[in-house]
């Protein structure tokens, strides 16, 4: 009887270990599926960059953190110049390849703490954490030059790709909508001045701030 009881206890312990292992494996698989779903919801399917929804949430969160911690934050909007002409002259498929390659250039150059997202069509958004005027302009110029100097001949013998960038930087008092509006205005100015350039503007404190 004693031996039978010990064997029963041993089998029960083994069953319990198997059950705990199974539950752990199922939990881990569920967590991985959840992470995959979260990445899919936040990701642009063509470029693999973050999408606009994630970028807007990130910007709101980081501006609140910048206000709390007292560091600077800068936002840039970049637009591929004459992208419609690229689609018309080389095909929409080539246009997609351009967007994919531009995204790879961006991810290879931005800092780990920063955000780059496809904000819509051929427009991209950058959020530079802790970057003031000089640092943000330097990063944007590096990105612009990398796109301009890329060898695009493999996609088309006469293909040339450039981009215009509008940058807004400020202290920690700005709202997300204000930063985006200033970045958009600077981007419009870059286009008006001839494209393939970075135009920066500061968001100034109000008198009551």
């Amino acid at each position: 009887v004693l031996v039978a009881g010990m064997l029963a206890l041993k089998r029960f312990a083994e069953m319990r270990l198997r059950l705990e292992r199974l539950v752990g494996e199922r939990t881990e698989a569920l967590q991985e599926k959840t992470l995959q779903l979260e990445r899919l919801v936040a990701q642009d399917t063509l470029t693999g960059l973050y999408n606009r929804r994630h970028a807007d949430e990130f910007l709101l969160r980081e501006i609140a953190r910048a206000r709390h911690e007292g560091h600077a934050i800068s936002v840039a909007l970049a637009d591929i110049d004459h992208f419609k002409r690229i689609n018309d002259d080389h095909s929409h498929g080539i246009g997609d390849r351009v967007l994919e390659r531009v995204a790879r250039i961006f991810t290879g150059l931005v800092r780990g703490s920063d955000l780059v997202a496809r904000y819509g069509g051929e427009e991209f958004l950058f959020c530079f954490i802790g970057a003031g005027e000089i640092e943000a302009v330097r990063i944007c110029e590096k990105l612009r030059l990398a796109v301009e100097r890329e060898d695009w001949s493999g996609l088309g013998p006469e293909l040339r790709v450039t981009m215009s960038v509008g940058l807004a930087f400020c202290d920690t008092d700005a709202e997300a909508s204000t930063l985006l509006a200033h970045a958009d205005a600077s981007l419009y100015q870059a286009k008006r001045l001839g494209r393939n350039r970075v135009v920066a503007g500061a968001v100034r404190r109000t008198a009551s701030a």
Side-chain angles (χ1 to χ4, degrees):
V1 174
L2 181 61
V3 172
M6 291 178 65
L7 287 174
L9 287 173
K10 182 180 178 182
R11 293 193 189 99
F12 177 76
E14 290 173 347
M15 289 176 60
R16 180 177 178 180
L17 285 173
R18 285 197 295 270
L19 181 60
E20 290 176 349
R21 190 180 304 116
L22 180 61
V23 170
E25 291 172 353
R26 295 288 175 85
T27 301
E28 185 177 341
L30 181 61
Q31 290 173 341
E32 179 60 28
K33 290 291 185 182
T34 301
L35 288 174
Q36 291 177 1
L37 181 60
E38 289 174 353
R39 284 194 291 268
L40 287 174
V41 170
Q43 192 176 57
D44 174 62
T45 55
L46 176 64
T47 64
L49 298 176
Y50 288 116
N51 57 27
R52 181 168 186 158
R53 174 183 174 181
H54 178 84
D56 286 337
E57 292 173 352
F58 180 93
L59 194 57
L60 288 171
R61 183 173 66 251
E62 289 303 319
I63 285 178
R65 189 165 71 90
R67 186 179 293 115
H68 176 72
E69 298 179 1
H71 61 249
I73 191 168
S74 298
V75 171
L77 289 172
D79 190 85
I80 305 299
D81 295 326
H82 301 297
F83 189 72
K84 183 179 184 303
R85 187 182 301 170
I86 292 174
N87 283 333
D88 291 345
D89 293 349
H90 298 275
S91 82
H92 287 270
I94 294 299
D96 286 346
R97 302 292 81 75
V98 167
L99 294 174
E100 290 172 340
R101 190 181 297 185
V102 165
R104 288 197 297 271
I105 292 171
F106 292 161
T107 54
L109 292 176
V110 296
R111 306 173 307 174
S113 60
D114 297 330
L115 170 83
V116 54
R118 186 183 181 196
Y119 211 55
E122 67 275 20
E123 189 172 66
F124 300 85
L125 179 139
F126 301 89
C127 182
F128 305 120
I129 308 301
E133 176 178 359
I134 295 175
E135 178 68 4
V137 169
R138 185 191 66 78
I139 297 171
C140 289
E141 277 293 342
K142 181 172 66 173
L143 293 167
R144 183 193 66 78
L145 282 171
V147 171
E148 181 184 18
R149 293 172 178 173
E150 176 75 4
D151 181 8
W152 298 98
S153 60
L155 296 180
E158 298 180 2
L159 179 62
R160 179 173 180 262
V161 180
T162 62
M163 71 175 185
S164 302
V165 183
L167 173 65
F169 47 87
C170 69
D171 55 32
T172 57
D173 289 334
E175 299 294 333
S177 58
T178 304
L179 265 176
L180 287 170
H182 278 72
D184 191 57
S186 294
L187 175 60
Y188 176 80
Q189 181 75 350
K191 294 281 190 180
R192 193 180 68 81
L193 291 173
R195 296 180 169 83
N196 191 26
R197 66 191 67 228
V198 176
V199 171
V203 180
R204 304 299 182 187
R205 286 178 180 266
T206 61
S208 58

